[in-house]
Amino acid sequence: MRNIEMALADCRIIDLPKISDPRGNLTFIEGARHIPFEIKRVYYLYDVPGGAERGAHGHRKLQQFLISMSGAFDVILDDGFETKKFHMNRSYYGLYISPMMWRDITNFSSGAVLMVLASEPYEASDYFRDYEQFLAAARAIR
Ligand code: T46
């Protein structure tokens, strides 16, 4: 965990290259260049029904990078002290989320696709699903 920042201020938008030409836009991601962790998993959310909310949990170690591949959604991050909202609606930037961050993902537009690059394989024991437990742990490390 050393060298990994875990404050809300470390969660940030990272711009990706955008190559535009008359045929449309192209964005690429080179792991070691654009993403501040080694990518070990990729997953995506799609066909999200209107009004549905995802997330509502935190991670002990996981780092993630969220990109709106289509449409829009909001990500609300909470480090146990303060919250910050990010509106995601472009494919040429992503949101880096450090460990120990509660996240709620809301306001999915119709047809939204959320792609996630993750620093670890799926591990159920990495999750805080209970907000009070998360809060106690998050406040204890700062
Ligand atoms: C996050 C948001 C954006 C797996 O089996 N493998 C996986 O890689 C993932 C992510 C989930 N699952 C299973 C676990 C649950 O049975 O899929 C089911 C739904 O997972 P969850 O409730 O965690 O899904 P979201 O969309 O609420 O949250 C996920 C990530 O867990 C989370 O880290 O930031 O997407």
Side-chain angles (χ1 to χ4, degrees):
M1 215 43 124
R2 206 172 294 151
N3 296 329
I4 299 173
E5 303 295 338
M6 292 193 285
L8 195 50
D10 302 305
C11 298
R12 60 192 184 276
I13 296 294
I14 296 178
D15 289 322
L16 298 168
K18 177 181 170 191
I19 301 177
S20 301
D21 77 28
R23 300 169 297 165
N25 298 327
L26 183 153
T27 285
F28 60 94
I29 301 171
E30 294 178 5
R33 183 169 158 202
H34 302 115
I35 308 300
F37 53 81
E38 184 189 348
I39 301 162
K40 294 195 182 152
R41 175 168 51 119
V42 177
Y43 63 92
Y44 32 95
L45 306 179
Y46 53 98
D47 293 346
V48 178
E53 301 192 348
R54 312 275 322 202
H57 55 250
H59 288 281
R60 291 175 166 81
K61 292 185 183 165
L62 190 69
Q63 302 174 75
Q64 300 203 105
F65 187 74
L66 276 55
I67 307 169
S68 170
M69 301 305 287
S70 181
F73 51 85
D74 292 331
V75 182
I76 299 120
L77 298 182
D78 175 350
D79 67 358
F81 292 94
E82 51 180 339
T83 64
K84 191 168 177 185
K85 181 158 117 178
F86 297 85
H87 183 62
M88 305 294 293
N89 64 350
R90 293 286 183 267
S91 303
Y92 52 80
Y93 63 75
L95 174 62
Y96 168 74
I97 306 181
S98 69
M100 294 304 291
M101 210 56 58
W102 190 268
R103 81 283 323 267
D104 291 300
I105 305 157
T106 64
N107 289 331
F108 284 90
S109 69
S110 169
V113 179
L114 162 53
M115 185 173 77
V116 182
L117 312 181
S119 66
E120 305 296 335
Y122 176 72
E123 178 54 69
S125 63
D126 187 64
Y127 282 70
F128 287 99
R129 297 271 183 192
D130 179 88
Y131 185 68
E132 296 306 320
Q133 275 181 11
F134 165 78
L135 212 50
R139 291 187 171 178
I141 57 168
R142 295 191 177 94

